[in-house]
Amino acid sequence: MAVEKPFDITTTTLESAINWARSNSMWPMPFGVACCAIEMMAALMSKYDASRFGSEVLKFSPRQSDLLIVSGRISLKMMPVLMRIWEQMPEPKWCISMGACASSGGVFDTYALIQGIDQFLPVDAYIPGCPPRPEAFIEALMVVQEKAREGKASTQAYTEKAQQV
Ligand code: SF4
């Protein structure tokens, strides 16, 4: 005699479902300007396979991207361009700072280079290293995915702080 199984029911909210979908289909906007970009490219190619995380579609159009990846040194003259790109990306959006140079200027303690992009942009995940390994990039991607699943982005805190000033 067959045993009747109870129905498997899953309940959720629309917001959670949207956040889950977002976290698994991030479209990166790569901003590679120095040696770290080579490791970023390696992380996105078949060996490390970012498509496992739904992030294989690189968009060189900020209006179609929700994940900015800054890898390399950012000069004072380049920063307005980077900010313009960030502003053109639709909300919600996330940012990864890849490598010592993007996060702190690295070994280039000079007036011509930005000593950390977080002075100008909200950063969701930092990747240490010079250059970081692709595995570290994948870990940062997973950190951002977790934030997206929870409906969090550094942009919100950044915007709220800016509004209080
Ligand atoms: S952190 Fe190192 S590898 Fe990355 S851009 Fe700077 S010097 Fe190059």
Side-chain angles (χ1 to χ4, degrees):
M1 189 177 142
V3 179
E4 273 192 33
K5 278 178 65 181
F7 290 117
D8 289 333
I9 298 175
T10 305
T11 59
T12 185
T13 61
L14 180 59
E15 194 183 4
S16 302
I18 290 172
N19 288 342
W20 173 82
R22 273 196 185 120
S23 70
N24 289 293
S25 58
M26 294 194 140
W27 285 12
M29 160 85 211
F31 196 85
V33 284
C35 9
C36 273
I38 303 299
E39 296 297 317
M40 174 182 68
M41 289 176 222
L44 295 167
M45 293 299 122
S46 53
K47 184 172 178 187
Y48 294 96
D49 196 12
S51 59
R52 288 177 292 156
F53 303 91
S55 296
E56 76 272 32
V57 186
L58 289 191
K59 287 288 168 190
F60 291 90
S61 160
R63 292 171 199 272
Q64 295 175 311
S65 309
D66 54 5
L67 174 60
L68 178 65
I69 305 165
V70 183
S71 52
R73 299 175 285 276
I74 303 296
S75 68
L76 208 56
K77 284 192 171 181
M78 184 63 78
M79 198 64 222
V81 177
L82 182 56
M83 287 177 75
R84 186 77 186 269
I85 287 171
W86 174 252
E87 282 159 12
Q88 288 182 74
M89 290 168 60
E91 301 269 358
K93 55 191 173 185
W94 294 268
C95 174
I96 292 178
S97 174
M98 182 171 186
C101 286
S103 301
S104 67
V107 295
F108 303 98
D109 186 7
T110 152
Y111 70 92
L113 291 180
I114 299 298
Q115 302 297 299
I117 59 164
D118 58 3
Q119 294 174 37
F120 300 90
L121 300 177
V123 173
D124 292 281
Y126 298 86
I127 311 178
C130 175
R133 295 277 305 146
E135 290 89 341
F137 174 86
I138 298 289
E139 190 179 1
L141 184 59
M142 290 169 73
V143 166
V144 172
Q145 277 188 312
E146 190 59 43
K147 280 192 169 186
R149 256 192 299 277
E150 291 170 5
K152 292 181 188 162
S154 294
T155 322
Q156 294 152 352
Y158 195 78
T159 311
E160 282 161 18
K161 201 170 147 193
Q163 283 168 349
Q164 284 167 9
V165 176

